[in-house]
Amino acid sequence: MDQQSVQVIIETLKEEGVDLAVTLPEEPTFSLTEAMLEDPFFQAVTVAGEGNGLAFCAGAALGGRRVVFVTGIAGLLVGTWALSQMGMVYGAPILILASYRGDFGDHSGIPGSQLLMFKQVAEPLLGALRVPYRVVNQKANLKRMIQEGSFACQDYSHPIVLLLSGEVLW
Amino acid sequence: MKRFDCLKFLASLVDEHMFAVTSLSINAPFWFNVRPQGPNFFALNMGLCLPFALGLAVAFPKRKIIAIDSDGSLMNDSSSLITVADVNPANLVAFVMDNGSYAFMSETFTTRRTDLAKMAQGAGIANASTVTTLEEFSAAAKQAMESTGPTLIVAKVERDAGRVSADRSRTSGRPMREWFMDAVRRHPDYKGVVG
């Protein structure tokens, strides 16, 4: 992710009052999570597993914190148990920014078999978990999608995923 | 040492503004019987109790947050111990009610080689210990509630004789969530807007 996307995301999250940033580092979003770690506006937390990261986000969110979880498709796969519980059962408003690994344009060097699997499961997975999502692949839409995603997760009281791809990510 | 006796004593230490989070199965109805009112989040499924409590600890940094977890649940996602250690919340007190079995079924690993307090220490939670009698539990719980955390106490309890009844609308799912949110919204420290 280039600095332009990083800047737009950070600026918009601040405007939305999202000040708790949770992540388990992964390559495509590393520049974003590093920037959040260095920015005193954010309480930035690195978690040891995506499942406990999502449960952590849920506790904070139901306690009134505005929270963003930064991950990738692999992280969403690992976190499905927690995501189903915190979403479908408890309605925790968590904004999730996920790199859309395996989407067209991912030349990151991971074996194609992995990328294909990510591409094949990402959107059906979110559908199965009943998690509303949008693919955000144009910088011109990035700010508005974060604003709308942030509003929707609070309004629905449910996790929302923005799948970052295209020129936003690669 | 019986689970109910431990939780009954623990409830005597908890004030109206402290949060409590329980794991599924046995802890939830037992805790409901000793602390039915106040900000309780009951019956989180496997692996989710401790990290959820950690999130509340970050949201309410001036209040004690009590996690009442179990051996099977904690082992399901023991990496949460590392997350707790790294966040290092001063207000989190975690109890692991270790009956050495999955509810009323087969033995868990803590009956053999696994030591959850040592795992917590290894993860970086310095204040982690195991207690085996009610006297030890009472002293450790009292000290934890008066100290700076995070603290994790593994309570070796007997296998439970049977389930206790609890109002399911208060201890599970969305109805429980709404009871919890009602308590959260009325909490003096609450600053959120969650519906």
Side-chain angles (χ1 to χ4, degrees), chain A residues 43 45-49 51-52 55-56 58-66 81-82 85-91 93 154 157, chain B residues 41-46 48 51-52 54-56 58-60 77 79-80 82-83 87 173-174 176-177 181 184 190 192-194:
Chain A
Q43 182 177 4
V45 172
T46 301
V47 295
N52 63 70
F56 168 70
L62 292 180
R65 293 290 299 265
R66 293 285 185 104
W81 169 241
Q85 292 286 322
M86 298 309 152
M88 295 174 82
V89 181
Y90 299 121
Q154 297 294 329
S157 203
Chain B
F41 201 101
F42 292 102
L44 280 153
N45 218 317
M46 296 289 276
L48 303 172
F52 186 93
L54 178 64
L56 277 176
V58 167
F60 292 93
D77 187 357
S79 73
S80 62
I82 299 169
T83 304
V87 176
R174 282 296 176 112
M176 178 281 298
R177 189 258 200 207
M181 288 310 302
V184 166
Y190 181 63
V193 291
V194 180

Side-chain angles (χ1 to χ4, degrees), chain A residues 59-117:
Chain A
L62 292 180
R65 293 290 299 265
R66 293 285 185 104
V67 56
V68 63
F69 187 58
V70 182
T71 188
I73 300 302
L76 288 178
L77 280 163
V78 175
T80 50
W81 169 241
L83 192 55
S84 62
Q85 292 286 322
M86 298 309 152
M88 295 174 82
V89 181
Y90 299 121
I94 306 167
L95 177 63
I96 299 171
L97 302 182
S99 68
Y100 195 168
R101 302 305 300 265
D103 195 18
F104 301 159
D106 184 352
H107 302 289
S108 59
I110 287 180
S113 55
Q114 290 285 323
L115 297 181
L116 177 62
M117 182 274 287

Side-chain angles (χ1 to χ4, degrees), chain B residues 145-159:
Chain B
M145 297 298 279
E146 293 168 353
S147 308
T148 299
T151 304
L152 185 138
I153 297 166
V154 178
K156 293 285 189 180
V157 295
E158 298 170 19
R159 285 200 186 200

Side-chain angles (χ1 to χ4, degrees), chain B residues 10 19-22 49-50 53 65-69 92-96:
Chain B
L10 179 57
F19 290 80
V21 179
T22 86
C49 176
L50 182 60
I65 311 296
I66 316 299
I68 305 170
D69 210 339
L92 179 63
V93 184
F95 296 89
V96 183

Side-chain angles (χ1 to χ4, degrees), chain B residues 169-190:
Chain B
S169 73
R170 297 284 306 280
T171 56
S172 67
R174 282 296 176 112
M176 178 281 298
R177 189 258 200 207
E178 297 313 316
W179 279 100
F180 172 78
M181 288 310 302
D182 185 54
V184 166
R185 285 186 207 101
R186 288 188 282 108
H187 196 282
D189 296 356
Y190 181 63

Side-chain angles (χ1 to χ4, degrees), chain B residues 42-189:
Chain B
F42 292 102
L44 280 153
N45 218 317
M46 296 289 276
L48 303 172
C49 176
L50 182 60
F52 186 93
L54 178 64
L56 277 176
V58 167
F60 292 93
K62 294 178 182 168
R63 305 289 176 175
K64 283 288 187 198
I65 311 296
I66 316 299
I68 305 170
D69 210 339
S70 57
D71 48 333
S73 171
L74 181 58
M75 284 188 287
N76 192 267
D77 187 357
S78 55
S79 73
S80 62
L81 292 168
I82 299 169
T83 304
V84 168
D86 204 57
V87 176
N88 200 30
N91 57 334
L92 179 63
V93 184
F95 296 89
V96 183
M97 310 310 290
D98 179 3
N99 67 351
S101 72
Y102 289 102
F104 306 99
M105 299 173 286
S106 58
E107 291 181 344
T108 66
F109 304 95
T110 62
T111 62
R112 296 191 284 275
R113 299 183 188 86
T114 303
D115 185 326
L116 292 172
K118 285 183 179 172
M119 286 176 66
Q121 289 166 357
I125 302 172
N127 297 326
S129 60
T130 300
V131 295
T132 58
T133 67
L134 184 59
E135 291 70 30
E136 288 177 358
F137 178 88
S138 303
K142 197 165 183 300
Q143 186 180 9
M145 297 298 279
E146 293 168 353
S147 308
T148 299
T151 304
L152 185 138
I153 297 166
V154 178
K156 293 285 189 180
V157 295
E158 298 170 19
R159 285 200 186 200
D160 306 272
R163 295 185 191 278
V164 296
S165 61
D167 183 346
R168 287 174 70 88
S169 73
R170 297 284 306 280
T171 56
S172 67
R174 282 296 176 112
M176 178 281 298
R177 189 258 200 207
E178 297 313 316
W179 279 100
F180 172 78
M181 288 310 302
D182 185 54
V184 166
R185 285 186 207 101
R186 288 188 282 108
H187 196 282
D189 296 356

